[in-house]
């Protein structure tokens, strides 16, 4: 099975940098899984529509990104494709063209791929100010984010 693990976020915009950092830390914490054949690991600061190319050829996708709902900062969210598709095109994204919109476009262009497992591990951001690093709250949940990535990959590999 070809699984794409993608960390999304701008490292110079506060907690938005959690996606790439979490994926890199997961690779360090779980190298035996991260180096398995069939896993495509990538980090992207501002993927926009380039996310479409990362999805092509994958049989499953796990994305890690900062989210801003109304949960306490540091809360982990695991969203399925169906849950992601409920976001409207006016949702705000630091990535220009948002992840939900990109996935919607991808599925419109590739209707036969509607059933591939796509999961987003979202980390509730505390602050997204330009030029700041991760908040302490988000730094503290990085180990749980790594474990969530590992669990999602393992689940996909055994299904």
């Amino acid at each position: 099975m070809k699984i794409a693990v993608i960390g999304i976020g701008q490292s110079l915009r506060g907690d938005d940098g959690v996606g790439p950092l979490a994926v890199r830390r997961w690779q360090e914490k779980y190298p035996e899984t991260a180096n398995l054949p069939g896993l495509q690991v990538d980090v992207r600061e501002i993927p926009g529509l380039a996310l479409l190319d990362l999805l092509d050829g994958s049989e499953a996708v796990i994305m890690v990104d900062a989210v801003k709902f109304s949960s306490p900062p540091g809360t982990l969210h695991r969203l399925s494709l169906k849950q992601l598709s409920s976001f409207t095109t006016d949702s705000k994204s630091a990535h220009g063209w948002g992840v939900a919109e990109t996935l919607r476009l991808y599925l419109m262009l590739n209707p036969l791929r509607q059933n591939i497992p796509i999961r987003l591990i979202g980390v509730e951001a505390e602050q997204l100010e330009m030029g700041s690093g991760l908040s302490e709250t988000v730094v503290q949940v990085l180990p749980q984010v790594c474990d969530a990535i590992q669990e999602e990959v393992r689940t996909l590999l055994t299904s």
Side-chain angles (χ1 to χ4, degrees), residues 122-137:
V123 181
E124 188 77 29
E126 184 171 341
Q127 53 84 21
L128 298 168
E129 287 81 36
M130 190 60 88
S132 61
L134 294 181
S135 66
E136 187 57 36
T137 304

Side-chain angles (χ1 to χ4, degrees), residues 9-17 45 128-133:
Q10 293 184 14
S11 60
L12 296 175
R13 192 164 179 201
D15 291 336
D16 193 50
E45 289 275 325
L128 298 168
E129 287 81 36
M130 190 60 88
S132 61

Side-chain angles (χ1 to χ4, degrees), residues 13 18 32 39 51 60 76 105 115 119 130:
R13 192 164 179 201
V18 70
E32 69 287 347
L39 250 63
L51 184 58
L76 294 187
L105 176 62
N115 294 323
R119 301 284 290 174
M130 190 60 88

Side-chain angles (χ1 to χ4, degrees), residues 23-59:
V23 168
R24 287 185 189 107
R25 293 244 179 119
W26 166 74
Q27 287 178 290
E28 293 168 4
K29 187 174 181 178
Y30 296 103
E32 69 287 347
T33 303
N35 292 314
L36 285 173
L39 250 63
Q40 171 192 337
V41 181
D42 207 326
V43 295
R44 294 295 169 110
E45 289 275 325
I46 308 173
L49 292 175
L51 184 58
L52 297 174
D53 293 332
L54 296 174
L55 299 174
D56 253 359
S58 297
E59 296 171 64

Side-chain angles (χ1 to χ4, degrees), residues 3 96 158:
I3 302 171
T158 58

Side-chain angles (χ1 to χ4, degrees), residues 128-150:
L128 298 168
E129 287 81 36
M130 190 60 88
S132 61
L134 294 181
S135 66
E136 187 57 36
T137 304
V138 169
V139 168
Q140 289 178 3
V141 300
L142 279 170
Q144 293 98 313
V145 180
C146 293
D147 293 343
I149 296 168
Q150 180 70 6

